[in-house]
Amino acid sequence: MVFVMQKVWEPSTTDLSAGRRPLWWTVGPSGTLAVLFVDRRQLEQISYIKGWVGWVPEVPFDGVLVIRHADGSVQRRTFEAIPRRPSHIALLPDARLLIAAGRAGRDDSGAWAPNASVFSLEGEERASFCIGDDIDVLVTDSGGSIWTAYGDEGIYGGHPQSAAGLAGWGDQGQVVWAPNGRLPEWPLAGCAAATEGDCVWLAWYSSNGSRSTFLTRITPLTGEVASWLSPVPSPDGLAVRGNHAILTRRVHNERSTEVFRAELVGASWVVTDRHKEQVPGRVVLRCGQGRDGFLWLRTGDTWLRIDA
């Protein structure tokens, strides 16, 4: 079966010629792509980190959020004095934007300091809170909940929700879901995330010697949790449509990625097709996000979409 990669969007000449770089990005549940641009003069490049993830802003910094809607229309929103260095952004209901740093520290009292802020699209900060330490993966669902998977420094770093490996949060920073012993093994790191209707999927690998990778489906309305062994170790992209899935595993910093089709057969996910695909740009960390059966893939400064 041929993998059809649809080119969805790339920055306009106007955006790029203004001296801004496209950095953090997300896809909303309705298929809206949002990319946060920052002026090159406010950025420093970390030489040993390749791709867009190696650009670090001076805090506070200004940004322009470019929003590409499902109908193809584009709008731009300006944000001033963003107070933290993002690792993730996400869209929330009621025209709001979540900006989250990957790491969380403690304040003078020893309490966990905020590492996430919610903004209106007019640039007004509405709330700030902590959503755990060492966030590897973050995705929001259509109801406005925030879902996170953590890395080993967070899992072993003392934050109670990070220690569980996976967590669900409300849009004011309240804990709405925790694994509570319902995962097959203890997580060590998050890999990828997707939403499928009312369900959230988190891909993560375990802390045991085999480093097994699991796909966990969470149904927020009921709290139901189900996990399967992933047919692909440590995928960086995941999208699910019923009993079918698309997974990707990048060839880091190269213009190619491995794409896998998988099917749920009985109680197991099985790879049914696999290809190495050439793509328009280099593929680096945080390259994929799944929404309702479509995998959005960032390759350089071009966004592609693959149907599961």
Side-chain angles (χ1 to χ4, degrees):
M1 182 181 296
V2 177
F3 292 98
V4 178
M5 290 191 174
Q6 177 191 3
K7 179 180 174 181
V8 180
W9 186 79
E10 62 184 358
S12 69
T13 302
T14 301
D15 285 318
L16 295 177
S17 63
R20 295 189 291 261
R21 300 194 70 91
L23 299 181
W24 310 278
W25 69 283
T26 188
V27 179
S30 63
T32 299
L33 172 67
V35 184
L36 187 59
F37 285 68
V38 180
D39 192 301
R40 172 68 178 82
R41 292 170 293 183
Q42 293 186 280
L43 296 170
E44 176 185 358
Q45 186 176 27
I46 302 174
S47 60
Y48 60 87
I49 300 178
K50 303 300 182 182
W52 68 269
V53 290
W55 291 93
V56 179
E58 300 174 0
V59 177
F61 67 96
D62 302 335
V64 175
L65 187 71
V66 178
I67 304 168
R68 188 267 188 194
H69 296 283
D71 63 4
S73 62
V74 175
Q75 66 179 131
R76 292 167 176 81
R77 300 286 188 170
T78 299
F79 291 76
E80 296 181 349
I82 296 171
R84 65 187 82 258
R85 290 177 176 172
S87 296
H88 310 273
I89 67 171
L91 296 172
L92 292 169
D94 302 321
R96 294 172 297 159
L97 176 71
L98 175 76
I99 296 180
R103 300 307 304 267
R106 296 180 186 266
D107 61 23
D108 293 340
S109 70
W112 289 97
N115 66 338
S117 296
V118 175
F119 293 87
S120 70
L121 292 187
E122 286 67 46
E124 178 187 357
E125 187 174 15
R126 298 282 182 82
S128 63
F129 41 80
C130 181
I131 53 172
D133 183 31
D134 196 16
I135 305 169
D136 277 345
V137 173
L138 185 151
V139 70
T140 53
D141 64 23
S142 58
S145 294
I146 305 159
W147 300 89
T148 46
Y150 300 95
D152 58 345
E153 293 185 24
I155 290 170
Y156 295 105
H159 190 285
Q161 272 65 52
S162 298
L166 311 180
W169 307 84
D171 61 3
Q172 299 298 309
Q174 69 275 31
V175 179
V176 298
W177 180 87
N180 295 329
R182 291 175 291 176
L183 300 178
E185 295 180 10
W186 203 275
L188 183 65
C191 302
T195 58
E196 181 202 13
D198 293 332
C199 295
V200 176
W201 290 80
L202 295 172
W204 53 276
Y205 64 82
S206 72
S207 59
N208 71 6
S210 67
R211 290 286 181 92
S212 299
T213 303
F214 292 90
L215 306 180
T216 292
R217 184 187 67 200
I218 304 158
T219 306
L221 293 176
T222 64
E224 179 187 0
V225 182
S227 296
W228 295 264
L229 279 170
S230 173
V232 178
S234 302
D236 48 42
L238 167 68
V240 182
R241 187 189 300 277
N243 291 337
H244 299 273
I246 285 282
L247 303 97
T248 55
R249 189 169 57 193
R250 71 184 183 276
V251 182
H252 184 64
N253 202 34
E254 297 294 333
R255 296 174 181 266
S256 61
T257 187
E258 287 188 286
V259 185
F260 304 80
R261 289 193 185 277
E263 183 176 353
L264 186 60
V265 179
S268 301
W269 284 97
V270 179
V271 170
T272 58
D273 200 4
R274 170 182 181 176
H275 290 286
K276 184 175 180 179
E277 299 286 335
Q278 299 300 308
V279 291
R282 288 183 171 84
V283 186
V284 298
L285 187 68
R286 300 181 189 130
C287 58
Q289 191 172 118
R291 290 293 192 185
D292 289 328
F294 290 98
L295 174 61
W296 293 71
L297 185 66
R298 178 176 185 170
T299 67
D301 291 337
T302 301
W303 276 262
L304 310 174
R305 192 171 61 190
I306 312 171
D307 192 340

